Amino acid sequence: MSDKYPLNPNIPPGPVQEKWTSHKFNMKLVNPANKRKHTVIVVGTGLAGASAAASLGELGYNVLSFCIQDSPRRAHSVAAQGGINAAKNYQNDGDSVYRLFYDTVKGGDFRSREANVYRLSEVSTNIIDQCVAQGVPFAREYGGTLANRSFGGAQVSRTFYARGQTGQQLLLGAYGSLMRQVEEGKVKLFPRREMLDLVKIDGVARGIITRNLVSGELEKYAADAVLLCTGGYSTVFYLSTNAVNCNATAAWRCYKKGAYFANPCYTQIHPTCIPRFGETQSKLTLMSESLRNDGRVWVPRRKGDERKPSEIPESERDYYLETKYPAFGNLVPRDIASRNAKEVCDEGRGVGPTGFAVYLDFAEAINRLGKDVIAQRYGNLFAMYHEISGDDPYETPMMIYPAPHYTMGGLWVDYNLMTTIDGLFALGEANFSDHGANRLGASALMQGLADGYFVIPYTLGNYLASAQPKPVTTDAAEFEEAVKNVQTGVEKLMSINGHTTADEIHRELGNIMIDEVGMARSEKGLKKALEEIPKIREKFWKDLRIPGDAKDYNKELEKAGRVADFLELGELMARDALERKESCGGHFRLESQDKDGEAKRDDKNFTHVAAWRFLGEDKVPERCVEPLEYEYVKPSERSYK
Amino acid sequence: MKVNLRIWRQPGPHAPGRLVDYSIDGIDPSQSFLEMLDALNEKLIKEGKEPVAFESDCREGICGNCGLVINGVAHGPKAACTTCEVRMRQFEDGQTITVEPFRAKAFPMIKDLVVNRSAFDRIMSKGGFVAVNSGSAQDANLQPIHKDDAEHAMDAAACIGCGACVAACPNASASLFVGAKVSQYTWLPQGKVERHGRVLKMVKQMDAEGFGDCSNHAECEAACPKEISVSNISRMRREYTKALLAGV
């Protein structure tokens, strides 16, 4: 642990059940008349950003809301399919705030902060109330009450959903609230803007520099606080389930300005994605893991078995999840399902043209429930699969393979969601806080909205009332300097004038990342990645080609800036994975497994958050540590057998 | 497979545009249409030419960012899908494909195939919400909603705001977009309080943006990737009339 820079999580005292309540009371308030004197920048308009911007506007703050898309409604939260968890216990099946808290801490493999997770579980119930009041059309029972389903390894039904478009509907709810504040004049929208730097004055976050993605102009914006709601960094793998414009640039530039980056190696590889077909593919498509409720996962027992699935008799099929994990079967958590798929494929028993796929078979469920029931439950997913793959899953098993999907790591934040830079907050997937080493299904939407609707409105007020930031304008010298630096960076990219496109280099990086920093990691592989990534980076800075003009709509320039940052972030991920010599959650170290090949945690040495501090270009960053304590959920082996 | 392309190129809003011919070989039929355009762009960059500007993000049909008119049809030849969901197996080897932007007065040109659809956001700011502040909601199950009503609301709420309805409409009307939002809240009790003001304000803004009127061609429904029904437009009109009669 670095003594010079201790990480103080600022967890309120008292029993975990009372921390948030007492903290809410103890925090300072900003007088309504003073709220309108404060300006807040919110970067990103996904669930976290839109809900934060709307809620802060409602409170009376002046909000400047930025997004890279043409409309705030397109942020990648829109693509979440499955649902959102809440401890409502509407099903009378034993759920409670405490159980959701317990499940989330355990699911995170004892690498998250108890206090944060408890608060998340606590406000989860308010989120559902809020969204229903907004007119989010959740699925309902015949009696008119809300429907729930069990999801991703949970033993209670606590997941609320709107068909397979839950993320879209929640986002449109938040977007509607945001647009209402735009109309009220409390939020000003800045679409098609990419944040390229954070501006600090006297060590405190006071503004941002953006590039106008249509005109190419660099713009300066000043505020009393900056909220980063810019999502995760799965696209570092090139192929992922994330939207193609998702990126880590805003977070990465904040890291380089002094915000610590926590647990970058914690990534989630989602088990049920459509396998890749070839080199030219631009993204992977996720199918809701609710499919695993009725689908059975299998591969042939024999290596290199090229028979059609229908020609392989039952006795020659290996339903490996059901055999290995009889209690949970096909419903084991995501990391376990993914790793086992990789394992059987690495053994040479994978199926499909690339050999990197396993079957997800609905034949038994169709026999048992009938085609109609299956069509009702999964019709849209089956249609999507049919469309993309050309195969009809009613007739032949689906093929699936894991794909990078979510990143639990992110900017380090304290209990108040503030990073190590005063005045800079990180919300949603952009922070590291609540999911530990593995996120449970249907918890990402919950966290984004918890942070935006119910946490930041309180903690930001406390910050502003305590810090009393002095007025600042974009005329300050620090803004001028930041613009110059960004300008220099853009010119440097434009002037390389080589032969390789940003996508080509991104693909090269992605291959290394998925092979060595993907589902299974080893010391040897990680060291290889740490050797290879700087070489790709060198090639990037020598041979990149960006056509066109920087003062224009220029997609290639956008991509290049993001790839430049991924080439640095990828290295940090490998470094973090190398230092974390244990297996935990989504981070599986080949050197750390038990005799059955299951992940082996090392609580003695690694019950901590690793937060990385930037020390300068080409310098090895410093690994700082926040110890984690488990007062309520005692660390146990995360067994799903 | 190989395809010939005729793509609309326009350097900026005030520069003249034209269709430019390209051809590209070595396309895999499982590739998506946009991945084919990616490949074309990579080729153009290598040749020292400027790539074709087009938009896309999620590439799975939900964000509404992509939108091209392919051979005269918004979102291409296949019903009920977005441009990013169109696969090359939809086309013949050697086929000529014309690619144009979503054209409408209310969608000003930015570059090549990219247009500005912010008019939709401005319409939404007039009433595409229930005015409820964070924290002021009652328990979600206190108000039962008939399952069918919730399903109807969801059918309308599925709109992704892509603008294909506008591009397909001979009048460039945004009636399906507005009708879908108005309908969603008409089906739900939460939407009742503001129903009159909502429909009047949203329709007024739609007109102010320069979208045309609806004259019942139903091209919008045919082009809609989410199969949103024109019955939503009828519902919007009924709501509009009711609001006028209510004298708000």
Side-chain angles (χ1 to χ4, degrees):
Chain A
M1 172 161 177
S2 165
D3 296 330
K4 267 189 302 178
Y5 307 98
L7 290 166
N8 184 355
N10 290 316
I11 297 170
V16 77
Q17 295 89 340
E18 289 164 27
K19 283 179 194 293
W20 180 233
T21 308
S22 59
H23 191 53
K24 276 195 287 188
F25 180 73
N26 290 326
M27 278 188 287
K28 289 186 183 166
L29 300 172
V30 180
N31 173 313
N34 284 337
K35 286 199 180 92
R36 64 172 180 265
K37 294 179 190 157
H38 289 292
T39 299
V40 183
I41 285 173
V42 182
V43 188
T45 58
L47 288 180
S51 61
S55 304
L56 295 173
E58 288 162 10
L59 287 171
Y61 295 106
N62 300 306
V63 180
L64 310 179
S65 161
F66 297 81
C67 65
I68 55 172
Q69 296 86 354
D70 66 324
S71 162
R73 66 179 291 156
R74 309 209 198 280
H76 186 61
S77 305
V78 79
Q81 299 168 0
I84 177 166
N85 287 330
K88 281 288 197 185
N89 193 32
Y90 282 157
Q91 305 307 321
N92 197 28
D93 59 356
D95 200 11
S96 62
V97 168
Y98 200 90
R99 187 176 296 282
L100 177 54
F101 158 67
Y102 177 92
D103 288 354
T104 308
V105 171
K106 182 189 171 202
D109 220 358
F110 304 94
R111 293 293 176 265
S112 52
R113 244 186 238 146
E114 278 191 332
N116 283 58
V117 176
Y118 195 90
R119 175 178 64 191
L120 174 66
S121 310
E122 194 178 328
V123 302
S124 69
T125 58
N126 304 111
I127 295 171
I128 296 306
D129 299 341
Q130 183 64 31
C131 297
V132 166
Q134 288 170 349
V136 169
F138 283 116
R140 302 234 163 210
E141 304 291 354
Y142 283 102
T145 54
L146 289 154
N148 290 118
R149 59 183 169 205
S150 133
F151 199 79
Q155 289 176 307
V156 291
S157 287
R158 62 160 75 101
T159 304
F160 295 77
Y161 60 99
R163 295 197 190 142
Q165 292 128 276
T166 316
Q168 180 204 23
Q169 293 308 312
L170 296 175
L171 183 64
L172 291 179
Y175 160 79
S177 298
L178 174 70
M179 295 314 293
R180 175 175 156 239
Q181 291 309 308
V182 170
E183 180 66 10
E184 302 275 337
K186 293 311 294 178
V187 176
K188 199 153 185 253
L189 276 189
F190 297 90
R192 296 188 192 271
R193 302 299 204 289
E194 178 157 31
M195 171 178 164
L196 292 182
D197 211 355
L198 176 77
V199 180
K200 276 166 52 176
I201 298 179
D202 300 330
V204 177
R206 294 311 302 266
I208 61 171
I209 305 298
T210 62
R211 181 170 176 271
N212 180 320
L213 298 179
V214 176
S215 69
E217 293 295 330
L218 299 180
E219 302 165 338
K220 305 176 279 190
Y221 299 94
D224 298 319
V226 176
L227 274 48
L228 217 61
C229 313
T230 49
Y233 49 90
S234 291
T235 38
V236 70
F237 293 98
Y238 187 69
L239 282 181
S240 82
T241 66
N242 283 193
V244 293
N245 296 313
C246 287
N247 68 83
T249 286
W252 192 250
R253 310 258 163 126
C254 290
Y255 162 72
K256 290 173 97 169
K257 278 281 164 90
Y260 292 15
F261 207 112
N263 301 331
C265 79
Y266 291 165
T267 52
Q268 184 167 77
I269 316 272
H270 196 288
T272 50
C273 302
I274 301 178
R276 70 187 283 186
F277 64 82
E279 277 304 306
T280 53
Q281 198 157 352
S282 59
K283 78 155 280 173
L284 295 166
T285 302
L286 178 143
M287 292 178 299
S288 168
E289 67 185 323
S290 61
L291 288 169
R292 287 198 281 142
N293 285 332
D294 286 304
R296 298 179 71 195
V297 176
W298 65 277
V299 288
R301 288 198 180 278
R302 189 158 52 80
K303 281 183 196 177
D305 190 336
E306 285 183 2
R307 287 176 292 176
K308 281 192 221 155
S310 56
E311 291 165 1
I312 301 177
E314 279 294 318
S315 60
E316 291 177 45
R317 298 176 175 193
D318 181 4
Y319 295 91
Y320 56 89
L321 289 178
E322 296 173 19
T323 331
K324 242 171 127 175
Y325 308 95
F328 280 77
N330 294 298
L331 292 173
V332 290
R334 292 176 173 177
D335 55 328
I336 295 174
S338 293
R339 202 160 54 240
N340 278 278
K342 176 181 158 56
E343 234 171 75
V344 295
C345 292
D346 288 347
E347 285 166 18
R349 297 195 289 145
V351 297
T354 61
F356 285 97
V358 299
Y359 290 126
L360 180 64
D361 197 335
F362 289 86
E364 187 268 337
I366 292 172
N367 275 336
R368 178 164 44 90
L369 303 164
K371 196 176 163 182
D372 288 351
V373 174
I374 294 300
Q376 227 172 43
R377 286 185 191 169
Y378 311 110
N380 59 338
L381 295 168
F382 276 34
M384 178 173 83
Y385 180 85
H386 194 168
E387 181 56 41
I388 293 175
S389 70
D391 287 339
D392 179 3
Y394 293 105
E395 302 298 327
T396 183
M398 280 184 174
M399 285 190 277
I400 55 168
Y401 197 68
H405 169 58
Y406 185 89
T407 51
M408 283 74 69
L411 292 186
W412 184 91
V413 289
D414 68 2
Y415 187 74
N416 297 313
L417 305 182
M418 190 154 85
T419 67
T420 49
I421 298 175
D422 280 358
L424 176 69
F425 296 77
L427 282 67
E429 193 180 351
N431 74 29
F432 87 107
S433 68
D434 296 353
H435 306 295
N438 176 53
R439 180 176 65 73
L440 292 180
S443 284
L445 304 182
M446 173 173 70
Q447 188 222 335
L449 291 180
D451 289 358
Y453 283 136
F454 297 113
V455 179
I456 202 70
Y458 294 88
T459 61
L460 180 75
N462 184 49
Y463 167 75
L464 294 172
S466 314
Q468 307 247 345
K470 288 190 210 99
V472 66
T473 69
T474 54
D475 297 331
E478 286 85 349
F479 278 92
E480 224 18 75
E481 198 191 318
V483 166
K484 260 190 211 145
N485 287 341
V486 172
Q487 182 67 36
T488 311
V490 169
E491 280 163 13
K492 196 176 156 198
L493 284 169
M494 293 301 296
S495 64
I496 304 169
N497 224 353
H499 306 89
T500 315
T501 65
D503 277 344
E504 285 176 308
I505 291 172
H506 196 171
R507 279 197 283 268
E508 223 175 294
L509 171 69
N511 285 336
I512 292 274
M513 293 303 293
I514 198 72
D515 287 348
E516 310 300 351
V517 201
M519 276 175 278
R521 295 131 179 209
S522 68
E523 185 179 333
K524 194 174 153 221
L526 291 165
K527 285 189 170 157
K528 184 182 161 201
L530 287 173
E531 271 174 34
E532 294 297 320
I533 296 169
K535 284 187 209 158
I536 305 175
R537 202 159 57 221
E538 201 179 297
K539 179 175 170 189
F540 175 89
W541 288 107
K542 261 194 193 144
D543 199 42
L544 175 74
R545 179 176 195 92
I546 304 175
D549 198 327
K551 283 277 160 65
D552 191 6
Y553 183 98
N554 190 334
K555 207 84 204 157
E556 290 301 309
L557 173 59
E558 288 174 35
K559 283 191 214 167
R562 295 165 193 165
V563 173
D565 292 336
F566 281 139
L567 286 164
E568 297 177 4
L569 170 60
E571 186 176 334
L572 187 71
M573 289 167 70
R575 201 175 292 285
D576 186 46
L578 183 64
E579 291 298 322
R580 193 169 279 280
K581 296 181 175 69
E582 62 163 351
S583 294
C584 62
H587 170 63
F588 186 74
R589 278 290 295 264
L590 289 168
E591 298 89 347
S592 184
Q593 41 184 320
D594 66 13
K595 56 183 189 332
D596 300 326
E598 293 302 319
K600 204 169 117 198
R601 271 195 342 253
D602 177 355
D603 288 342
K604 191 166 158 271
N605 293 305
F606 290 99
T607 306
H608 61 238
V609 176
W612 294 86
R613 175 170 170 254
F614 181 72
L615 294 177
E617 303 287 349
D618 300 320
K619 284 195 182 133
V620 175
E622 181 181 12
R623 185 178 191 269
C624 305
V625 159
E626 178 202 333
L628 292 167
E629 280 160 39
Y630 292 90
E631 218 181 311
Y632 295 86
V633 190
K634 289 295 162 204
S636 59
E637 197 189 327
R638 197 169 138 254
S639 171
Y640 290 91
K641 288 204 166 174
Chain B
M1 61 191 277
K2 183 188 171 191
V3 286
N4 303 310
L5 297 158
R6 306 194 69 207
I7 301 181
W8 184 261
R9 302 298 310 257
Q10 186 170 348
H14 307 297
R18 66 193 176 98
L19 286 166
V20 179
D21 292 333
Y22 300 95
S23 74
I24 182 153
D25 211 344
I27 297 298
D28 185 324
S30 347
Q31 251 173 287
S32 72
F33 191 80
L34 295 183
E35 283 163 356
M36 179 276 293
L37 286 183
D38 288 341
L40 173 73
N41 276 346
E42 202 142 289
K43 185 175 158 229
L44 292 175
I45 296 169
K46 299 269 180 192
E47 290 169 357
K49 294 176 185 153
E50 180 132 356
V52 180
F54 68 92
E55 287 196 290
S56 79
D57 202 10
C58 76
R59 297 207 173 187
E60 56 185 67
I62 192 71
C63 76
N65 194 16
C66 67
L68 301 175
V69 173
I70 302 170
N71 283 341
V73 181
H75 286 314
K78 192 151 186 299
C81 71
T82 57
T83 300
C84 65
E85 294 175 295
V86 174
R87 301 272 145 186
M88 290 311 289
R89 70 173 80 91
Q90 296 285 327
F91 303 93
E92 304 287 328
D93 194 8
Q95 192 178 336
T96 298
I97 308 169
T98 308
V99 190
E100 294 166 277
F102 278 4
R103 296 182 196 277
K105 182 181 159 199
F107 290 168
M109 163 61 65
I110 292 178
K111 185 177 179 179
D112 294 341
L113 303 171
V114 181
V115 296
N116 182 347
R117 289 165 290 183
S118 296
F120 274 8
D121 290 327
R122 291 188 290 271
I123 294 174
M124 290 290 272
S125 74
K126 299 295 175 189
F129 50 79
V130 174
V132 51
N133 284 356
S134 303
S136 57
Q138 60 174 359
D139 183 87
N141 256 354
L142 278 178
Q143 188 167 39
I145 295 175
H146 199 289
K147 187 180 170 66
D148 293 345
D149 292 347
E151 293 295 320
H152 289 309
M154 183 61 219
D155 287 340
C159 169
I160 57 173
C162 63
C165 47
V166 175
C169 176
N171 310 332
S173 172
S175 291
L176 191 64
F177 172 78
V178 179
K181 205 51 176 172
V182 167
S183 287
Q184 177 192 343
Y185 294 124
T186 307
W187 284 112
L188 297 172
Q190 288 86 353
K192 294 279 192 284
V193 175
E194 299 164 276
R195 66 192 293 180
H196 297 320
R198 173 181 299 114
V199 67
L200 294 177
K201 283 189 256 176
M202 288 181 82
V203 168
K204 190 175 166 201
Q205 187 64 30
M206 166 169 70
D207 293 343
E209 294 289 348
F211 291 105
D213 288 332
C214 170
S215 50
N216 301 321
H217 288 262
E219 293 287 345
C220 52
E221 181 182 292
C224 178
K226 298 296 155 188
E227 300 181 288
I228 291 175
S229 156
V230 286
S231 65
N232 291 296
I233 299 181
S234 325
R235 193 169 298 102
M236 172 179 73
R237 287 171 172 165
R238 289 197 296 276
E239 285 296 306
Y240 190 83
T241 312
K242 283 182 205 165
L244 287 180
L245 292 173
V248 239

